[in-house]
Amino acid sequence: MKVTLLQIDSKWMDERGNILRATALMDSQPGSDLYVLPEMWSTGFVTDTMENVPDEKHSVALQWMKEEAARRRCAICGSLAVRDDEGAYRNRLYFVDGRHDRVAYYDKHHLFSYGGENLHYTPGQHHTIVEYEGMRILLLTCYDLRFPCWIRYADDRAYDVILLVANWPQGRQSAWQILTAARAIENQSYFIGVNRVGDDLVTHYIGGSCAIDPIGRTMVSLGDTAEAVSVALSQSELLRRREKFPVLDDRD
């Protein structure tokens, strides 16, 4: 499966402009099976200007994801700030499958209280694993990365790829580098982590989006500029690694 990491410079509350930036990055890497955008890629990390958060059914960015995935015959994954049918605000990670006309989502479970996210958003309570192109993909968002028990591979949570989108700031970049590799190693899984670059109202982001293989080796590591890079994930190679060194069989 060919996965393209879209490391975008999201401009604050510039939905139309961010859609154009995402489109340009996708155009630079045509023919991918899956394109991955960062957390709240269309607006920046919204935690206090909640009047700008749209109802899910009126989200321009979500509609673009659906149309673009159908047009390109691919899947597009990325997080958006939305208001659900019950009026709750959600940091919702969408997986839009344009090949099979399906939309799945994961509501961020661990809300970032240090940044006030918990004051406005409702946490999700369930894991989401998407099956796509022969791979089982666990969806996660940013702060979830710090909670290995939530991510832990288990019989009722079997997956091949951890896919995590983020707004992870420069000041904690060393933790990003360590934890992304750790999650891949401890779960014998591919790890795809897509972060943003640029600035919002309070912090600076230097990207570092990455793809890591099941034994912790970096397959792709992006720098601190807006760019798109593709990587190939192999189900057969994953199974070979797990069979050769069956760590998961010894988990409690």
Side-chain angles (χ1 to χ4, degrees):
M1 180 171 67
K2 180 181 177 182
V3 181
T4 300
L5 289 61
L6 302 172
Q7 186 168 272
I8 188 174
D9 182 355
S10 297
K11 301 303 182 183
W12 180 249
M13 301 308 301
D14 182 13
E15 187 173 47
R16 296 287 184 180
N18 290 328
I19 287 172
L20 292 175
R21 294 178 189 95
T23 302
L25 287 176
M26 293 174 71
D27 288 343
S28 73
Q29 292 283 325
S32 189
D33 298 302
L34 169 61
Y35 294 90
V36 186
L37 286 154
E39 179 183 24
M40 293 193 191
W41 64 270
S42 69
T43 57
F45 191 64
V46 181
T47 56
D48 54 5
T49 54
M50 305 309 290
E51 67 274 9
N52 294 316
V53 175
D55 290 335
E56 182 179 44
K57 61 186 175 183
H58 296 138
S59 171
V60 173
L62 178 57
Q63 185 61 33
W64 172 83
M65 291 172 73
K66 292 177 180 178
E67 293 174 356
E68 201 70 8
R71 184 177 73 84
R72 295 178 187 260
R73 297 289 296 165
C74 68
I76 303 175
C77 188
S79 149
L80 301 171
V82 297
R83 199 164 44 239
D84 68 16
D85 290 340
E86 298 178 352
Y89 293 102
R90 303 282 189 174
N91 185 344
R92 182 160 285 181
L93 176 55
Y94 291 96
F95 190 100
V96 180
D97 179 354
R99 292 179 179 171
H100 305 97
D101 193 24
R102 298 180 301 192
V103 178
Y105 66 82
Y106 163 73
D107 288 331
K108 186 178 181 181
H109 180 66
H110 296 96
L111 300 179
F112 190 51
S113 59
Y114 185 80
E117 186 179 19
N118 62 311
L119 301 178
H120 304 284
Y121 291 87
T122 299
Q125 300 300 326
H126 305 286
H127 295 88
T128 299
I129 296 174
V130 175
E131 294 192 15
Y132 180 71
E133 296 301 311
M135 293 283 197
R136 299 166 299 178
I137 304 170
L138 175 70
L139 303 182
L140 298 170
T141 305
C142 202
Y143 198 38
D144 288 326
L145 181 63
R146 292 184 178 270
F147 300 92
C149 291
W150 179 250
I151 301 171
R152 186 65 173 156
Y153 186 102
D155 290 337
D156 63 343
R157 216 161 46 247
Y159 53 80
D160 309 306
V161 182
I162 298 170
L163 190 159
L164 181 136
V165 303
N167 272 212
W168 198 280
Q170 178 184 24
R172 292 183 284 277
Q173 198 72 12
S174 60
W176 169 267
Q177 293 168 345
I178 293 168
L179 295 176
T180 52
R183 299 294 88 88
I185 294 167
E186 68 196 9
N187 296 294
Q188 286 193 309
S189 169
Y190 286 110
F191 185 97
I192 301 294
V194 179
N195 194 21
R196 63 159 294 179
V197 295
D199 299 277
D200 60 19
L201 300 180
V202 296
T203 194
H204 179 60
Y205 303 88
I206 59 170
S209 300
C210 60
I212 300 170
D213 78 4
I215 62 172
R217 297 182 304 189
T218 299
M219 304 170 70
V220 164
S221 180
L222 280 64
D224 61 358
T225 59
E227 59 181 317
V229 176
S230 298
V231 64
L233 308 186
S234 169
Q235 174 81 337
S236 61
E237 176 63 16
L238 173 69
L239 294 176
R240 187 185 73 81
R241 290 286 182 185
R242 286 178 172 175
E243 290 170 359
K244 182 178 180 180
F245 187 41
V247 175
L248 296 173
D249 292 347
D250 295 329
R251 68 195 187 282
D252 293 330

